[in-house]
Amino acid sequence: MTNKLWEKNFGVSKEIERFTIGKDRELDLCLAKYDVLGSMAHIIMLQTIGLLTAEELKALLAELKTIYRLADEGRFEIEEGVEDVHSQVELMLTRKLGDMGKKIHSGRSRNDQVLVDLKLFTRHALKETVELVKILFDELLRKSHQYKEVLMPGYTHLQVAMPSSFGLWFGAYAESLADDMLFLQAAYKMANRNPLGSAAGYGSSFPLNRTLTTDLLGFDSMNYNVVYAQMGRGKMERNVAFALATVAGTLAKMAFDACLFNCQNFNFIRLPKECTTGSSIMPHKKNPDVFELIRAKSNKLQGLPQQIMLIMNNLPVGYFRDLQIIKEVFLPAFDELKDCLQMAAYIINKMEVNEHIPENPMYDPMFSVEEVNRLAAAGMPFRDAYKKVGLEIEAGTFRADKHIHHTHEGSMGNLCNERIEALMQQTLREFHFERMEKAEKELLK
Ligand code: ARG
């Protein structure tokens, strides 16, 4: 019953405390470094408007840097009885510097503090996600190039349809990630606006210089309207979750394909045995558990936007404690997705493909359209050619000509992988992660 920032002269019952603090003491550890950075920017600004002296600022900044280092080394702790990261940082400053530590909260509320912490955390988490998406993207394009000549059946209705290739299959997932990157970028840009100074959600009578804190923290701009800044809690997380979910969607689909293609009945891909798992009873088993787990974890991540929406659904304007619960699903999601991305890149790198699939006559029908097109190109009306080949297949006289020639953009003979790479590069250039890195480095100097 100690150390509440808001404690006056009556205690809070243990049970209420346990319930309201919830998982914050553990989850807020992710936010510690960012809470310190936000405080540094805030107090530099407070000094410029006369709420701290230059000496006070100097002492506070030095102590905040020490706390940052502690958090960076994983040694920051939220003590028993302390509510959250915001209270812990203030407590540490007050212990060390006395009344000076209590001054830093002028013109601020934990509401805008947690908003800014979450945004700073999210910028970094998105940057790491983007880097891992790019690694997987490169791996997929490399495989696409390596196996660009290797044919496989393309399916519709899970029925053999037309010739496809491993160049197309791997490249398709690379291009999917290039599109997903657009969502990540939109999410990053929306996260990269400064809510600090909105205080409890209605601003402050102090003449806060929000432009200064925006620049100090390397935000692209601020969330101007203080009421909207507070509305961003939950909205930012939901939008970021959509971006994570779209990447997860790509992973889940690819993982399902890989499980299917790895099945003996397909035998399209091979995983080296060290990438598979065995059975406790069946001695022959080499199971693709990695892809199955990527699929399940990615499918779970696709529910994240819905989970966040349900928590914040129908909340009217202003802060509510409901918003605290979003952290429980939002903060761990990045590590879960990053793990899947990392494993996907690892296993795609090890994957080998069957280069002899078209030799199996069971796939001959996939060449039917090629034959129809050949006849049509030679002058026979398409419908007549279609019928002729159809009758041959029925009669069992169809002979597949397996030399196929596709030339248009995006077809197996003209993958346009360099253009897919260019799309990805263009999006990557527009993140400007260097701005946040430069600002944070400057603050910690
Ligand atoms: N742990 C709280 C949260 O995540 C911090 C903000 C507390 N603000 C408040 N008005 N009780 O939402």
Side-chain angles (χ1 to χ4, degrees), residues 2 16 119 127 143 146 163 166 186 219 398 419 422 426:
T2 48
I16 299 293
K119 287 186 163 209
K127 176 173 179 278
K143 286 282 171 178
Q146 181 180 359
F166 282 101
F219 281 114
F398 174 66
R419 289 202 238 162
Q426 189 190 334

Side-chain angles (χ1 to χ4, degrees), residues 51-52 106 161 180 198 287 291 319 375 411 435:
L51 289 174
L52 287 173
S106 312
D180 298 341
S198 61
N287 295 325
F291 278 121
Y319 176 85
L375 294 170
S411 67
R435 287 185 200 153

